Amino acid sequence: MSKTIILSNRLPLQINITKEKLQVTPSVGGLATGLKSFHREGDSIWIGWSGLTEEEIPVNLKAEIKVRAREDACITVSFTAEEMDGFYYGFSNRSIWPLFHYFTEYTEWESWQWEMYKKVNQKYADSVIEHYEEGDKIWVHDYQLLLVPNMIREQRPNATIGFFNHIPFPSYEVFRTMPWREEILNGMLGADLIGFHTYDYERHFLSSVRRILRRPVEFNEVTLANRVVKVDSFPMGIDYEKFEQTALKHHEISEDQETELQQRLNFHRKKSPDSQLILSIDRLDYTKGIANRIRAFEYFLEKYPEYIGKVRLVMLAVPSRSDVPQYQLLKKEIDELVGRINGKFATVSWIPIWYFFRSMPFENLIDLYTSCNIALLTPIRDGMNLVAKEYIATRTNQTGVLILSEMAGASHEMNEALIINPNNFEQIADAILQAIKMPKEEQIRRNTLLQKRLKRYNVVRWATDFMKALDKTKENQPSFKAIHISQEIQEKILTSFKNAKNRILFLDYDGTLVGFEDKPNLAKPDEQLLDLIKKVSKIKNTKVVLISGRDKETLGTWWKALPVELIAEHGVWVRKTGKEWQLNEKVHNNWMKNVRPVVETFCDRTPGTFLEEKNYSLAWHYRKADPELGEIRANELSNVLKELISNHGLSVLEGNKVLEIKSSGVNKGKAAGKVLLKKDYDFIFAIGDDWTDEFLFQELPENAITVKVGVKKTAASYYVEDTNKVRDLLLQFSRVH
Ligand code: ADQ
């Protein structure tokens, strides 16, 4: 039976060795906590790092670790300390993490760390391959493994691969600063489905793909040479029931069963019943805005001194990544801040901040969530922030106020919280005041709505939705009617080529025989291509027709010496083999004087675009423009032109990064039809890459072999990936005879 392979940097369990004995504890952190429930309920295995380096594992415990992990359907991957240093503490946490959270001043670019990142990603990918069976689904998680999807794809081209990014994806302007940006994007695009927490992250990613890789992006789909990758947002939920049920039980336990922490909390509550506890929980990370939060709390006490002695900040910070210098500095900064503020405001019976720097067992988290009537979460950037959701889930009597940063992904779904800007102390101080004074009915009203939403979209629903969408990506792929020319199909085509008596080949030029250049005149045929076409056109009873939107002068010059027929400007001109150019259609160009100035204004307003004038058509090229602006302006120009030229027998052709205005009656299909009338061909072949070639595919008789270059919607029967494949196919033709 097929299974799901979950892959993340860390396993949901952390293995430690004390006195030669294994100790297994659950891992802390959003990903592990969230995904654990999905893993438990489904048929899946989880591959990841155990938390111990190879050096730390005594030989006699190696097997035991594997067995222990297997009990929880986990598979360990092991790394040396050096690998972890470069991959995890290095590139993951000194390059990607700060960059993706907009802390560009903290980013380091060390090529040895990048090399280690690649190496370790490859190890993870290899481990997946080792456990992969046909039909399995692979779900890769987070920023440490950005290269893995494509590494798996290279070894298992048909695998179903999903990728989810748990942290923000930064705007293009920030992402572009990364030295290995192409590699990172291509790595992620190895997946069939890429998920983010919010639409903004999705938008930023697509924008980077479009601008950096210059890949076509339509809505939320990226078209690659032979696949389409879907990108979507799936806001991660929590195991709502677990938090709700534990909180309900927590309220029922007798005093003597309470934890020590709960007893202390109760003691303080009894001593001053009007006092308020403000909770703050995070990993100790500079993105979480912990220092800002403390300063804002200080500002609150200064602005509203009547609350001195009545409000307390309960701050829990989990140690994290302590091998990275910024985290050590942050620890120092927080220690000092807490010390300074406690020193400044403390009275004999009250201190303003209770600070815990440690990981806490689950029941203590519940003690805190249920005992604090305000939660203050002020990240500067946060992919989602699950603590906000956990806090709301534990408020079983619906009281309590959540103050949440607008920079957390969770703020998009939690509008009923008090949403603040983490850099605006004034606003935070006022939000604390508002929270303290908020009537119970209002708290209940807000939390009821929040709880309803969080309960419905819990972590299992999140994971199920992602997996369903992943299945759909495979269903959607064959919606391209065209079939890929495999080795087997190629053989069949070659056989009918060989057996035919009269052959004709219609070949588009740009994007088919040659790749695109920034300027059209740079895409001249190279020697290898000229040689190849010469060979094919010399085969007996074989006619080669180059059919293009290009002007007759350029085509004529480039293909002067070859025995091929040329069709220029989409069919306006024909040059039979060895003859002069002839007008093929009755067209006029007196409309150009009215249309040219309109196109010119678009050239002026859109840097990188230019106008190409042909004899009977005008083409506006926007390949070199900023991709997003180019698309917007192309759409705008197309609409303007359609209005301008209506009833003039003209049409606007939308080609590959070009808009062309020409006579309506002229197209490649019509031109090819005329050529076919002259002779009875028993092998008709046509190949092209863009929209203008669709006329050709549609017009040709049913038995014609029509081939699209690239994966796009098409009327052609077959497709090949790129121009290299086209040349390869032509080479095979030339070798048949
Ligand atoms: P994190 O940055 O780890 O996750 P978060 O989403 O808040 O942040 O999750 C923290 C988790 O750790 C929570 O489940 C919480 O209960 C637990 N936790 C916190 N303090 C603890 C303590 N002292 N002891 C024990 N457990 C503690 C990353 C991204 C987030 C994203 C998640 C999930 O940075 O933005 O929400 O992944 O995608």
Side-chain angles (χ1 to χ4, degrees), residues 380-522:
I380 304 200
R381 290 277 165 187
D382 208 341
M384 173 53 76
N385 195 302
L386 298 179
V387 173
K389 295 186 171 182
E390 293 169 1
Y391 175 70
I392 294 297
T394 57
R395 308 300 302 178
T396 48
N397 63 0
Q398 275 96 33
T399 61
V401 182
L402 170 66
I403 304 174
L404 179 62
S405 160
E406 64 184 40
M407 302 298 179
S411 70
H412 294 260
E413 302 157 72
M414 302 185 81
N415 259 323
E416 294 78 7
L418 301 182
I419 305 290
I420 49 95
N421 173 346
N423 300 310
N424 186 339
F425 291 179
E426 194 70 34
Q427 196 191 17
I428 300 177
D430 291 346
I432 295 176
L433 185 70
Q434 189 186 348
I436 293 172
K437 290 188 162 169
M438 189 181 284
K440 285 257 174 329
E441 305 75 61
E442 185 179 344
Q443 297 178 21
I444 293 172
R445 187 166 45 75
R446 287 172 183 257
N447 290 338
T448 309
L449 290 169
L450 284 169
Q451 288 184 344
K452 218 169 138 194
R453 208 173 303 135
L454 295 179
K455 199 170 188 162
R456 202 174 50 235
Y457 204 86
N458 62 14
V459 71
V460 174
R461 170 79 192 279
W462 165 78
T464 317
D465 274 10
F466 184 91
M467 287 323 248
K468 272 192 198 153
L470 181 59
D471 287 340
K472 272 227 174 94
T473 58
K474 283 292 178 198
E475 286 165 24
N476 284 345
Q477 296 284 346
S479 72
F480 300 99
K481 190 177 120 261
I483 302 166
H484 179 238
I485 300 195
S486 59
Q487 195 56 37
E488 199 186 335
I489 293 175
Q490 181 168 311
E491 292 302 326
K492 278 190 189 156
I493 296 175
L494 290 177
T495 310
S496 45
F497 181 83
K498 190 173 178 183
N499 296 339
K501 295 200 171 57
N502 274 313
R503 314 175 187 93
I504 186 161
L505 277 68
F506 293 99
L507 311 177
D508 167 50
Y509 183 67
D510 295 277
T512 302
L513 297 180
V514 293
F516 285 102
E517 297 288 343
D518 291 340
K519 287 243 153 85
N521 56 4
L522 296 176

Side-chain angles (χ1 to χ4, degrees), residues 460-594:
V460 174
R461 170 79 192 279
W462 165 78
T464 317
D465 274 10
F466 184 91
M467 287 323 248
K468 272 192 198 153
L470 181 59
D471 287 340
K472 272 227 174 94
T473 58
K474 283 292 178 198
E475 286 165 24
N476 284 345
Q477 296 284 346
S479 72
F480 300 99
K481 190 177 120 261
I483 302 166
H484 179 238
I485 300 195
S486 59
Q487 195 56 37
E488 199 186 335
I489 293 175
Q490 181 168 311
E491 292 302 326
K492 278 190 189 156
I493 296 175
L494 290 177
T495 310
S496 45
F497 181 83
K498 190 173 178 183
N499 296 339
K501 295 200 171 57
N502 274 313
R503 314 175 187 93
I504 186 161
L505 277 68
F506 293 99
L507 311 177
D508 167 50
Y509 183 67
D510 295 277
T512 302
L513 297 180
V514 293
F516 285 102
E517 297 288 343
D518 291 340
K519 287 243 153 85
N521 56 4
L522 296 176
K524 227 176 130 175
D526 48 274
E527 282 307 316
Q528 187 210 28
L529 178 64
L530 289 171
D531 188 50
L532 179 62
I533 300 296
K534 197 167 168 182
K535 276 191 187 135
V536 179
S537 56
K538 284 213 166 143
I539 302 171
K540 241 179 126 201
N541 295 327
T542 306
K543 188 187 191 97
V544 175
V545 184
L546 284 183
I547 186 161
S548 163
R550 288 217 176 230
D551 64 87
K552 71 180 199 322
E553 286 74 21
T554 314
L555 272 192
T557 318
W558 284 354
W559 297 93
K560 204 170 173 178
L562 266 81
V564 290
E565 184 160 328
L566 300 177
I567 295 178
E569 296 189 31
H570 303 283
V572 176
W573 299 95
V574 173
R575 196 199 73 176
K576 300 228 164 65
T577 320
K579 302 264 169 59
E580 288 303 307
W581 283 105
Q582 276 178 356
L583 208 53
N584 199 30
E585 290 284 346
K586 260 197 183 160
V587 282
H588 61 94
N589 57 10
N590 49 7
W591 51 270
M592 283 192 184
K593 61 181 182 306
N594 297 323

Side-chain angles (χ1 to χ4, degrees), residues 688-718:
D689 73 302
D690 83 7
W691 201 74
T692 62
D693 301 302
E694 292 297 314
F695 288 109
L696 187 58
F697 302 147
Q698 280 160 12
E699 284 293 317
L700 292 179
E702 284 235 324
N703 61 345
I705 296 167
T706 48
V707 185
K708 183 88 169 176
V709 185
V711 185
K712 292 163 210 155
K713 292 219 166 72
T714 178
S717 326
Y718 300 102

